[in-house]
Amino acid sequence: MTSSARVQLGSSDLSVFPLNLGGNVFGWSADRDQSFAVLDAYTAAGGNFVDTADVYSAWVPGHTGGESETIIGAWTAARDNRDDVVIATKLGAHPQFQGLRADNITAAAEASLKRLGTDRIDLLYTHFDDESTPVEEIMTALDALVRAGKVRQIAASNISPARLRASMQFARREGLAEYVALQPHYNLMSRDTYEGELADVASEYGLSGVPYYALAAGFLTGKYRAGGQKVDSVRASGAEKHAASERGRQVLAALDATAEAHGVAVATVALAWLAAQPTIAAPIASARTVEQLADLVAFPELTLTQAELDALTAASA
């Protein structure tokens, strides 16, 4: 089934599918052919929003960073669909381009454009804030990329509420490009990483939340259970910690009940809860295989009742 669901990112002209497909696995746990298959299945389901970063997957022995961008660029070229896909990437953490000094932002963006094989990045994030660099320098450098037509919209990730507010205030005062989205760590198992002051600043400035770790390293798929079978995954250790906690068991019980009531997968419910939270536009989740993707792209068609949302919120408190 193909979904036509779309959400707008902040005040931008970017209209995207409510599931942002995570590209961290491309070139890491998913090779080129597997990555192409997942991307094909995602777009066939109605998806048009792909997330990556220049540092993916520099942590793999023999990799240098940019492997995910290269695969996505090769895929859009092979499918001739660049204009149909909203590509988001992040800079500031690549081994060769660390930090957010102006010259580094410019060089990192140019390198990403080359790997992606494109003339513009639809949504460019600062991957991690660099508090040694004034927000004035960061925002001015990002604005220059927008004015040059190399970037359509800008966004931030892993930034403090104070620095986010200062960035928005400066951009607004000087008439520069403003952030339209924020990529925080946020899910049913990690709520204090976003809820509170950071979410308040996002709401104040009309930013759309695009949370990463939306499925808590796979725990919120329901595959990881206390005493259950071991799961062969590069992220298993993080998920297993949640499975051993009382809070984790409570969240899984609430997810199980809701999933059963709707006849859907646990992951589908976890994403639907996240997407229903204030400011959240498009949670990020990744899939190594086409089979894993099916439960993810199903969530925009699932509407949870207020009672179900409340039960999940209470279980995760």
Side-chain angles (χ1 to χ4, degrees):
M1 185 174 70
T2 301
S3 171
S4 59
R6 293 289 184 267
V7 292
Q8 186 180 2
L9 291 183
S11 58
S12 78
D13 59 350
L14 300 179
S15 180
V16 300
F17 188 65
L19 175 79
N20 190 184
L21 182 64
N24 59 315
V25 296
F26 301 151
W28 174 27
S29 54
D31 63 20
R32 179 186 166 109
D33 289 347
Q34 290 172 311
S35 300
F36 274 37
V38 168
L39 286 159
D40 286 341
Y42 172 69
T43 51
N48 74 330
F49 190 22
V50 180
D51 179 83
T52 186
D54 63 359
V55 73
Y56 300 162
S57 48
W59 56 86
V60 178
H63 287 203
T64 58
E67 287 77 14
S68 172
E69 289 180 328
T70 299
I71 283 177
I72 292 167
W75 173 75
T76 58
R79 301 297 182 259
D80 192 24
N81 65 353
R82 177 64 189 91
D83 292 342
D84 302 326
V85 183
V86 174
I87 295 177
T89 193
K90 301 178 281 293
L91 56 71
H94 189 283
Q96 290 180 281
F97 306 105
Q98 293 194 334
L100 298 177
R101 302 301 305 206
D103 56 350
N104 194 66
I105 285 175
T106 304
E110 293 287 358
S112 286
L113 285 165
K114 188 173 182 180
R115 285 188 295 265
L116 288 164
T118 186
D119 61 351
R120 83 280 183 192
I121 294 164
D122 298 305
L123 184 65
L124 179 66
Y125 292 90
T126 53
H127 200 161
F128 297 91
D129 189 24
D130 172 8
E131 295 195 0
S132 70
T133 303
V135 297
E136 293 83 358
E137 180 175 345
I138 296 169
M139 299 307 288
T140 301
L142 292 171
D143 176 75
L145 290 170
V146 174
R147 290 177 188 271
K150 295 178 179 181
V151 172
R152 288 176 64 189
Q153 303 288 343
I154 59 173
S157 181
N158 301 300
I159 188 171
S160 71
R163 289 270 292 184
L164 178 59
R165 178 177 277 114
S167 300
M168 295 300 291
Q169 287 175 337
F170 173 73
R172 194 157 289 186
R173 188 169 66 243
E174 298 299 320
L176 306 182
E178 300 179 12
Y179 293 141
V180 299
L182 177 67
Q183 190 173 130
H185 178 190
Y186 187 36
N187 58 59
L188 271 164
M189 296 302 297
S190 184
R191 290 174 50 192
D192 60 359
T193 45
Y194 183 56
E195 292 177 6
E197 192 179 358
L198 189 56
D200 290 345
V201 176
S203 178
E204 178 184 346
Y205 287 97
L207 305 184
S208 287
V210 185
Y212 67 88
Y213 287 158
L215 292 173
F219 172 70
L220 296 173
T221 63
K223 290 187 299 187
Y224 301 85
R225 308 271 176 168
Q229 286 187 322
K230 290 286 184 184
V231 178
D232 180 21
S233 169
V234 292
R235 297 179 292 181
S237 60
E240 286 165 358
K241 289 176 188 172
H242 292 311
S245 71
E246 179 60 29
R247 183 160 168 258
R249 288 189 284 270
Q250 289 176 353
V251 167
L252 278 186
L255 285 169
D256 287 339
T258 307
E260 186 175 354
H262 289 274
V264 298
V266 165
T268 309
V269 176
L271 291 170
W273 175 87
L274 191 53
Q277 302 312 301
T279 75
I280 300 303
I284 301 170
S286 56
R288 269 187 310 117
T289 66
V290 172
E291 291 72 27
Q292 291 175 345
L293 183 69
D295 295 339
L296 311 183
V297 295
F299 96 79
E301 306 303 318
L302 173 64
T303 302
L304 301 179
T305 67
Q306 190 58 52
E308 289 168 337
L309 290 168
D310 290 346
L312 287 162
T313 301
S316 67

